[in-house]
Amino acid sequence: KINGASIEELLDNLKLPEYRSRYRTRAELRTKDANKVLPALTKWVAKLDKKDPNYEHNLLEGLWVSWGLNKVDQKLLKQVLAAKDYRARAAAVRVVRYMGHQLPDQTDLLMQAARDDHGRVRLEAITAASWLEKSKGLAILAEAKKKPLDEWMIHAHETAVAHLNGESVKAVKKEVAKSILAGKDLELYNLGKEIYAKEGYCET
């Protein structure tokens, strides 16, 4: 039940396995009085079973409810930022990105995320840093670069640095293959190299 459900019923819907049911529930909660929803949310979070395998996911759903009401629960946010599940931490960093105007410690939270052991969390921190003023954003990006940048992060990092410096990302020069081949053989070799770069295999 969503339409016509009480706030308490709606909050319990956040535990449902169906994504669309949870999504519609959060949309319904956004239509309610925040002054009624937020105290009920605090009580709901306090009663969650910490032994439940979905405990951290339930916390995240609750965090999204407060975000949807444009009154992010900062205590809950910090709890999710410290979650064991990297997916929950990464999602919480995205909340930090969009709700920075409500967070006096936004920069500190993003700096913490830039040091995270998981790349997905650091990627969110890198993206969020590009929204900040230059000095704060570049400091977070420098911190993120202290750990290896994987293929998902490296371009985001490069773009964020360029953006904060008011520059465009510079095109990388293509490496010219050195070969003893010539003519048609070299042409076929280069074609195969191009296909392999895109598809991971080479046709003959």
Side-chain angles (χ1 to χ4, degrees):
K1 184 178 180 181
I2 296 176
N3 182 37
S6 67
I7 290 174
E8 288 71 22
E9 287 174 314
L10 290 169
L11 290 171
D12 272 338
N13 282 354
L14 299 176
K15 299 177 184 178
L16 294 172
E18 297 85 10
Y19 168 73
R20 284 296 177 187
S21 295
R22 300 195 309 273
Y23 176 87
R24 292 188 179 104
T25 291
R26 294 197 305 271
E28 182 70 14
L29 282 165
R30 286 198 297 272
T31 70
K32 306 294 183 184
D33 183 351
N35 293 320
K36 294 180 179 178
V37 175
L38 294 174
L41 175 63
T42 300
K43 291 178 182 177
W44 181 79
V45 167
K47 290 179 181 177
L48 289 174
D49 182 2
K50 294 182 180 180
K51 294 180 181 178
D52 183 343
N54 292 319
Y55 175 66
E56 291 183 339
H57 186 273
N58 294 336
L59 290 178
L60 178 59
E61 288 283 342
L63 176 61
W64 281 338
V65 169
S66 71
W67 181 13
L69 291 167
N70 198 31
K71 293 188 177 181
V72 64
D73 185 324
Q74 297 189 34
K75 181 180 177 183
L76 184 54
L77 171 63
K78 289 175 182 177
Q79 190 174 352
V80 182
L81 284 169
K84 292 179 182 177
D85 191 325
Y86 72 88
R87 294 170 297 181
R89 297 197 307 275
V93 174
R94 186 166 295 192
V95 176
V96 175
R97 167 184 168 185
Y98 286 107
M99 298 303 289
H101 58 286
Q102 292 185 9
L103 306 172
D105 55 350
Q106 182 192 30
T107 304
D108 293 336
L109 295 176
L110 291 177
M111 188 65 80
Q112 172 188 321
R115 300 185 184 110
D116 198 278
D117 289 332
H118 201 280
R120 185 161 163 184
V121 182
R122 298 200 303 278
L123 176 58
E124 289 289 346
I126 288 168
T127 305
S130 70
W131 287 45
L132 302 180
E133 61 181 72
K134 182 176 179 179
S135 60
K136 292 179 179 178
L138 289 176
I140 291 166
L141 292 171
E143 190 66 29
K145 199 174 182 182
K146 290 180 181 178
K147 291 181 181 285
L149 299 177
D150 62 24
E151 62 179 318
W152 297 101
M153 288 184 280
I154 191 165
H155 299 299
H157 188 277
E158 180 184 28
T159 303
V161 170
H163 170 70
L164 288 173
N165 283 312
E167 301 171 354
S168 298
V169 177
K170 295 176 182 177
V172 178
K173 281 187 178 181
K174 282 190 177 181
E175 186 181 333
V176 179
K178 293 180 180 178
S179 175
I180 59 171
L181 300 174
K184 188 69 175 176
D185 290 337
L186 180 59
E187 185 181 331
L188 288 172
Y189 171 81
N190 285 329
L191 179 60
K193 185 171 183 246
E194 184 179 342
I195 293 171
Y196 187 83
K198 290 179 181 176
E199 309 292 343
Y201 63 88
C202 185
E203 293 182 359
T204 55

